[in-house]
Amino acid sequence: MSSHHFVKEQQEPAVFILNADEIHFDQVSPLLEWVPTVLVAEQALDQVLSWGIKIDVILGSESFQKENIQLLEEQYPVRFLNSTPENALEEGLQYLLASKHYAAHLIGIPHLQALDLQDKIQLMDLTLLDGDWKYYPVKEGDFKKWFAKSTIHIHAKEGLPVEVINENGKLILPITYATFLEVPEGITEIKASGIFWIGEQIR
């Protein structure tokens, strides 16, 4: 038996797939290495089933559950959770908190929805995968990281002033709809008075 069977289930970040249209399996595969809890919303289910991975929770409407009752056997032990496409994110996060999961990768969520998660990121560690971009929140307003020479995306409430310090110097800019920033190789420090999200391209 491989060692990961001994990992306490909730210690691994859950993987919550809301939409798989622009997601490739090779983006998700590394997140599954330690057998996390996997939640899938009904609109992503066909795609995820084609990947052949084990699903723990399927979020869907009552009619969807009735039409797909065979999944309870095929994916045993799996459970259905009542939701609509509109509230699947909220229902899934509530389920994770209730089952004491305090970290999750949210797959296929538009990064614009990140700002709707402000109350949740005080309770959980969340990352978002939106197409080729991975986003993570900075809760304390001060962030320092080594980057390769690349473009990053800073996402926050419109107008929030952000201070950026790296070898290019010091820059203060207000956040706009799409604040993309070229960063040099090395340490970049970013400070703001509120929560902001950093997006990095992963492909």
Side-chain angles (χ1 to χ4, degrees):
M1 185 184 271
S2 60
S3 60
H4 63 226
H5 287 99
F6 298 104
V7 174
K8 184 166 173 273
E9 211 176 86
Q10 283 87 329
Q11 287 176 346
E12 281 308 302
V15 173
F16 184 4
I17 305 172
L18 279 108
N19 191 320
D21 289 348
E22 291 180 31
I23 300 292
H24 304 278
F25 178 61
D26 61 358
Q27 291 170 278
V28 178
S29 174
L31 308 178
L32 303 171
E33 190 179 346
W34 295 98
V35 199
T37 298
V38 176
L39 289 76
V40 181
E42 66 176 76
Q43 59 271 24
L45 189 62
D46 286 346
Q47 179 71 42
V48 175
L49 287 172
S50 76
W51 296 340
I53 67 177
K54 181 76 194 76
I55 299 169
D56 298 287
V57 178
I58 297 169
L59 292 97
S61 63
E62 285 185 27
S63 58
F64 178 86
Q65 293 175 40
K66 284 185 186 129
E67 288 159 20
N68 293 275
I69 197 80
Q70 80 288 352
L71 289 169
L72 291 177
E73 206 171 300
E74 290 169 10
Q75 283 283 315
Y76 181 83
V78 71
R79 60 176 296 178
F80 279 127
L81 203 59
N82 269 343
S83 78
T84 62
E86 295 72 39
N87 73 2
L89 176 59
E90 178 64 26
E91 290 294 329
L93 291 174
Q94 291 291 6
Y95 170 84
L96 289 173
L97 283 169
S99 52
K100 296 189 166 47
H101 289 80
Y102 297 116
H105 300 289
L106 307 179
I107 314 287
I109 292 190
H111 69 271
L112 294 174
Q113 279 187 279
L115 302 185
D116 301 336
L117 298 169
Q118 305 295 54
D119 58 333
K120 291 290 186 295
I121 62 174
Q122 304 301 347
L123 305 171
M124 307 176 75
D125 288 323
L126 298 175
T127 61
L128 268 60
L129 211 56
D130 179 6
D132 292 343
W133 288 79
K134 178 183 181 181
Y135 292 85
Y136 46 91
V138 179
K139 306 175 194 182
E140 298 305 320
D142 195 353
F143 168 85
K144 206 182 263 192
K145 185 179 174 185
W146 185 94
F147 289 100
K149 186 173 190 284
S150 58
T151 301
I152 63 171
H153 184 190
I154 307 174
H155 183 51
K157 205 168 143 193
E158 186 95 9
L160 180 76
V162 171
E163 183 179 353
V164 180
I165 305 159
N166 55 35
E167 67 171 43
N168 288 351
K170 187 168 165 179
L171 176 70
I172 294 179
L173 69 166
I175 291 296
T176 57
Y177 166 71
T179 302
F180 289 94
L181 194 66
E182 303 282 338
V183 291
E185 180 175 335
I187 298 284
T188 287
E189 185 174 5
I190 303 172
K191 301 177 182 180
S193 60
I195 292 168
F196 58 95
W197 293 71
I198 300 287
E200 293 184 54
Q201 210 156 8
I202 51 174
R203 285 171 75 82

